[in-house]
mmCIF file of all heavy atoms in Angstrom:
data_model
loop_
_atom_site.group_PDB
_atom_site.id
_atom_site.type_symbol
_atom_site.label_atom_id
_atom_site.label_comp_id
_atom_site.label_asym_id
_atom_site.label_seq_id
_atom_site.Cartn_x
_atom_site.Cartn_y
_atom_site.Cartn_z
ATOM 1 N N ASN A 1 1.357 -1.303 12.136
ATOM 2 C CA ASN A 1 1.481 -0.636 10.851
ATOM 3 C C ASN A 1 1.864 -1.658 9.774
ATOM 4 O O ASN A 1 1.733 -2.853 9.988
ATOM 5 C CB ASN A 1 2.429 0.544 10.918
ATOM 6 C CG ASN A 1 1.925 1.601 11.888
ATOM 7 O OD1 ASN A 1 0.727 1.757 12.064
ATOM 8 N ND2 ASN A 1 2.835 2.306 12.515
ATOM 9 N N ALA A 2 2.312 -1.198 8.624
ATOM 10 C CA ALA A 2 2.591 -2.107 7.518
ATOM 11 C C ALA A 2 3.579 -1.464 6.566
ATOM 12 O O ALA A 2 3.891 -0.278 6.679
ATOM 13 C CB ALA A 2 1.294 -2.450 6.784
ATOM 14 N N LEU A 3 4.057 -2.259 5.618
ATOM 15 C CA LEU A 3 4.920 -1.747 4.555
ATOM 16 C C LEU A 3 4.111 -1.648 3.272
ATOM 17 O O LEU A 3 3.499 -2.630 2.838
ATOM 18 C CB LEU A 3 6.121 -2.672 4.337
ATOM 19 C CG LEU A 3 7.122 -2.762 5.479
ATOM 20 C CD1 LEU A 3 8.211 -3.787 5.154
ATOM 21 C CD2 LEU A 3 7.745 -1.404 5.773
ATOM 22 N N LEU A 4 4.104 -0.473 2.688
ATOM 23 C CA LEU A 4 3.523 -0.255 1.368
ATOM 24 C C LEU A 4 4.662 -0.387 0.378
ATOM 25 O O LEU A 4 5.707 0.263 0.540
ATOM 26 C CB LEU A 4 2.906 1.139 1.279
ATOM 27 C CG LEU A 4 2.506 1.601 -0.123
ATOM 28 C CD1 LEU A 4 1.377 0.741 -0.684
ATOM 29 C CD2 LEU A 4 2.112 3.067 -0.093
ATOM 30 N N THR A 5 4.479 -1.219 -0.636
ATOM 31 C CA THR A 5 5.534 -1.448 -1.617
ATOM 32 C C THR A 5 4.942 -1.320 -3.014
ATOM 33 O O THR A 5 3.858 -1.817 -3.290
ATOM 34 C CB THR A 5 6.154 -2.847 -1.435
ATOM 35 O OG1 THR A 5 6.504 -3.010 -0.060
ATOM 36 C CG2 THR A 5 7.387 -3.023 -2.291
ATOM 37 N N ALA A 6 5.677 -0.651 -3.898
ATOM 38 C CA ALA A 6 5.275 -0.526 -5.293
ATOM 39 C C ALA A 6 6.507 -0.682 -6.166
ATOM 40 O O ALA A 6 7.624 -0.396 -5.745
ATOM 41 C CB ALA A 6 4.609 0.825 -5.544
ATOM 42 N N GLY A 7 6.283 -1.146 -7.371
ATOM 43 C CA GLY A 7 7.357 -1.396 -8.318
ATOM 44 C C GLY A 7 7.196 -2.781 -8.897
ATOM 45 O O GLY A 7 6.095 -3.324 -8.950
ATOM 46 N N ASP A 8 8.319 -3.355 -9.328
ATOM 47 C CA ASP A 8 8.304 -4.701 -9.888
ATOM 48 C C ASP A 8 9.692 -5.311 -9.722
ATOM 49 O O ASP A 8 10.520 -4.765 -8.978
ATOM 50 C CB ASP A 8 7.851 -4.690 -11.352
ATOM 51 C CG ASP A 8 8.680 -3.772 -12.232
ATOM 52 O OD1 ASP A 8 9.892 -3.560 -11.940
ATOM 53 O OD2 ASP A 8 8.143 -3.266 -13.233
ATOM 54 N N LYS A 9 9.958 -6.405 -10.433
ATOM 55 C CA LYS A 9 11.240 -7.098 -10.282
ATOM 56 C C LYS A 9 12.428 -6.243 -10.722
ATOM 57 O O LYS A 9 13.545 -6.460 -10.278
ATOM 58 C CB LYS A 9 11.222 -8.409 -11.068
ATOM 59 C CG LYS A 9 10.282 -9.426 -10.464
ATOM 60 C CD LYS A 9 10.203 -10.694 -11.300
ATOM 61 C CE LYS A 9 9.202 -11.659 -10.685
ATOM 62 N NZ LYS A 9 8.994 -12.845 -11.516
ATOM 63 N N SER A 10 12.188 -5.243 -11.559
ATOM 64 C CA SER A 10 13.299 -4.402 -12.030
ATOM 65 C C SER A 10 13.620 -3.248 -11.081
ATOM 66 O O SER A 10 14.672 -2.631 -11.198
ATOM 67 C CB SER A 10 12.988 -3.859 -13.426
ATOM 68 O OG SER A 10 11.900 -2.959 -13.378
ATOM 69 N N GLY A 11 12.727 -2.960 -10.146
ATOM 70 C CA GLY A 11 12.972 -1.895 -9.178
ATOM 71 C C GLY A 11 11.723 -1.598 -8.377
ATOM 72 O O GLY A 11 10.607 -1.671 -8.898
ATOM 73 N N CYS A 12 11.918 -1.283 -7.106
ATOM 74 C CA CYS A 12 10.771 -1.006 -6.248
ATOM 75 C C CYS A 12 11.222 -0.203 -5.037
ATOM 76 O O CYS A 12 12.409 0.016 -4.831
ATOM 77 C CB CYS A 12 10.104 -2.304 -5.802
ATOM 78 S SG CYS A 12 11.109 -3.329 -4.700
ATOM 79 N N ASN A 13 10.264 0.222 -4.258
ATOM 80 C CA ASN A 13 10.554 0.834 -2.971
ATOM 81 C C ASN A 13 9.448 0.464 -1.999
ATOM 82 O O ASN A 13 8.316 0.179 -2.397
ATOM 83 C CB ASN A 13 10.669 2.350 -3.071
ATOM 84 C CG ASN A 13 11.327 2.931 -1.832
ATOM 85 O OD1 ASN A 13 12.456 2.575 -1.501
ATOM 86 N ND2 ASN A 13 10.633 3.795 -1.125
ATOM 87 N N THR A 14 9.821 0.468 -0.730
ATOM 88 C CA THR A 14 8.868 0.184 0.335
ATOM 89 C C THR A 14 8.937 1.284 1.374
ATOM 90 O O THR A 14 9.979 1.923 1.539
ATOM 91 C CB THR A 14 9.139 -1.209 0.963
ATOM 92 O OG1 THR A 14 8.034 -1.569 1.794
ATOM 93 C CG2 THR A 14 10.433 -1.242 1.762
ATOM 94 N N MET A 15 7.828 1.532 2.049
ATOM 95 C CA MET A 15 7.777 2.528 3.116
ATOM 96 C C MET A 15 6.774 2.090 4.165
ATOM 97 O O MET A 15 5.807 1.384 3.864
ATOM 98 C CB MET A 15 7.399 3.910 2.566
ATOM 99 C CG MET A 15 6.023 3.976 1.948
ATOM 100 S SD MET A 15 5.604 5.612 1.283
ATOM 101 C CE MET A 15 4.856 6.353 2.730
ATOM 102 N N THR A 16 7.017 2.492 5.390
ATOM 103 C CA THR A 16 6.089 2.204 6.472
ATOM 104 C C THR A 16 4.871 3.111 6.334
ATOM 105 O O THR A 16 5.009 4.303 6.061
ATOM 106 C CB THR A 16 6.768 2.446 7.831
ATOM 107 O OG1 THR A 16 7.904 1.591 7.918
ATOM 108 C CG2 THR A 16 5.824 2.160 8.985
ATOM 109 N N ILE A 17 3.690 2.526 6.517
ATOM 110 C CA ILE A 17 2.457 3.317 6.502
ATOM 111 C C ILE A 17 1.674 3.061 7.791
ATOM 112 O O ILE A 17 1.684 1.963 8.330
ATOM 113 C CB ILE A 17 1.570 3.027 5.276
ATOM 114 C CG1 ILE A 17 1.173 1.541 5.193
ATOM 115 C CG2 ILE A 17 2.248 3.492 3.994
ATOM 116 C CD1 ILE A 17 0.095 1.239 4.169
ATOM 117 N N GLY A 18 1.016 4.094 8.249
ATOM 118 C CA GLY A 18 0.136 3.979 9.399
ATOM 119 C C GLY A 18 -1.305 4.289 9.023
ATOM 120 O O GLY A 18 -2.210 4.100 9.806
ATOM 121 N N TRP A 19 -1.494 4.782 7.813
ATOM 122 C CA TRP A 19 -2.843 5.092 7.320
ATOM 123 C C TRP A 19 -3.216 4.066 6.274
ATOM 124 O O TRP A 19 -2.466 3.835 5.305
ATOM 125 C CB TRP A 19 -2.879 6.449 6.643
ATOM 126 C CG TRP A 19 -2.671 7.638 7.512
ATOM 127 C CD1 TRP A 19 -2.351 7.660 8.837
ATOM 128 C CD2 TRP A 19 -2.767 8.993 7.097
ATOM 129 N NE1 TRP A 19 -2.239 8.941 9.273
ATOM 130 C CE2 TRP A 19 -2.498 9.796 8.215
ATOM 131 C CE3 TRP A 19 -3.062 9.604 5.892
ATOM 132 C CZ2 TRP A 19 -2.509 11.183 8.169
ATOM 133 C CZ3 TRP A 19 -3.071 10.977 5.837
ATOM 134 C CH2 TRP A 19 -2.795 11.757 6.965
ATOM 135 N N CYS A 20 -4.360 3.456 6.435
ATOM 136 C CA CYS A 20 -4.856 2.481 5.469
ATOM 137 C C CYS A 20 -6.335 2.268 5.743
ATOM 138 O O CYS A 20 -6.765 2.303 6.900
ATOM 139 C CB CYS A 20 -4.095 1.164 5.628
ATOM 140 S SG CYS A 20 -4.517 -0.093 4.424
ATOM 141 N N GLN A 21 -7.090 2.062 4.694
ATOM 142 C CA GLN A 21 -8.512 1.746 4.843
ATOM 143 C C GLN A 21 -8.817 0.537 3.980
ATOM 144 O O GLN A 21 -8.271 0.394 2.882
ATOM 145 C CB GLN A 21 -9.377 2.924 4.402
ATOM 146 C CG GLN A 21 -9.219 4.123 5.298
ATOM 147 C CD GLN A 21 -9.985 5.314 4.781
ATOM 148 O OE1 GLN A 21 -9.907 5.661 3.615
ATOM 149 N NE2 GLN A 21 -10.744 5.944 5.672
ATOM 150 N N MET A 22 -9.695 -0.304 4.501
ATOM 151 C CA MET A 22 -10.104 -1.493 3.757
ATOM 152 C C MET A 22 -11.608 -1.668 3.857
ATOM 153 O O MET A 22 -12.207 -1.291 4.860
ATOM 154 C CB MET A 22 -9.395 -2.724 4.290
ATOM 155 C CG MET A 22 -7.930 -2.724 3.902
ATOM 156 S SD MET A 22 -6.985 -3.933 4.776
ATOM 157 C CE MET A 22 -6.626 -3.033 6.253
ATOM 158 N N GLY A 23 -12.166 -2.234 2.826
ATOM 159 C CA GLY A 23 -13.601 -2.476 2.821
ATOM 160 C C GLY A 23 -14.070 -2.827 1.424
ATOM 161 O O GLY A 23 -13.350 -3.453 0.644
ATOM 162 N N ARG A 24 -15.277 -2.375 1.109
ATOM 163 C CA ARG A 24 -15.843 -2.629 -0.214
ATOM 164 C C ARG A 24 -16.202 -1.300 -0.858
ATOM 165 O O ARG A 24 -16.739 -0.411 -0.206
ATOM 166 C CB ARG A 24 -17.078 -3.514 -0.112
ATOM 167 C CG ARG A 24 -16.733 -4.923 0.356
ATOM 168 C CD ARG A 24 -17.866 -5.905 0.221
ATOM 169 N NE ARG A 24 -18.213 -6.231 -1.144
ATOM 170 C CZ ARG A 24 -17.517 -7.043 -1.951
ATOM 171 N NH1 ARG A 24 -16.405 -7.588 -1.518
ATOM 172 N NH2 ARG A 24 -17.927 -7.303 -3.167
ATOM 173 N N LEU A 25 -15.894 -1.196 -2.129
ATOM 174 C CA LEU A 25 -16.220 -0.021 -2.920
ATOM 175 C C LEU A 25 -16.500 -0.513 -4.330
ATOM 176 O O LEU A 25 -15.750 -1.358 -4.844
ATOM 177 C CB LEU A 25 -15.033 0.968 -2.892
ATOM 178 C CG LEU A 25 -15.193 2.287 -3.634
ATOM 179 C CD1 LEU A 25 -16.312 3.131 -3.011
ATOM 180 C CD2 LEU A 25 -13.884 3.061 -3.607
ATOM 181 N N TRP A 26 -17.538 -0.016 -4.942
ATOM 182 C CA TRP A 26 -17.939 -0.468 -6.276
ATOM 183 C C TRP A 26 -18.125 -1.989 -6.290
ATOM 184 O O TRP A 26 -17.809 -2.666 -7.269
ATOM 185 C CB TRP A 26 -16.947 -0.025 -7.349
ATOM 186 C CG TRP A 26 -16.772 1.461 -7.396
ATOM 187 C CD1 TRP A 26 -17.744 2.396 -7.579
ATOM 188 C CD2 TRP A 26 -15.553 2.183 -7.252
ATOM 189 N NE1 TRP A 26 -17.202 3.656 -7.547
ATOM 190 C CE2 TRP A 26 -15.852 3.556 -7.353
ATOM 191 C CE3 TRP A 26 -14.230 1.810 -7.039
ATOM 192 C CZ2 TRP A 26 -14.902 4.554 -7.262
ATOM 193 C CZ3 TRP A 26 -13.285 2.806 -6.949
ATOM 194 C CH2 TRP A 26 -13.613 4.150 -7.064
#
């Protein structure tokens, strides 16, 4: 699995994810 993280230097949060897709779009 992996950690999904969003935010910036002033504040953020991370969470474990088990769902993710990668590839090409547009």
Side-chain angles (χ1 to χ4, degrees):
N1 298 329
L3 294 176
L4 169 65
T5 310
D8 55 29
K9 291 176 182 175
S10 67
C12 67
N13 195 59
T14 192
M15 63 181 270
T16 300
I17 58 169
W19 292 5
C20 184
Q21 294 175 312
M22 288 168 275
R24 293 191 69 76
L25 182 64
W26 302 303

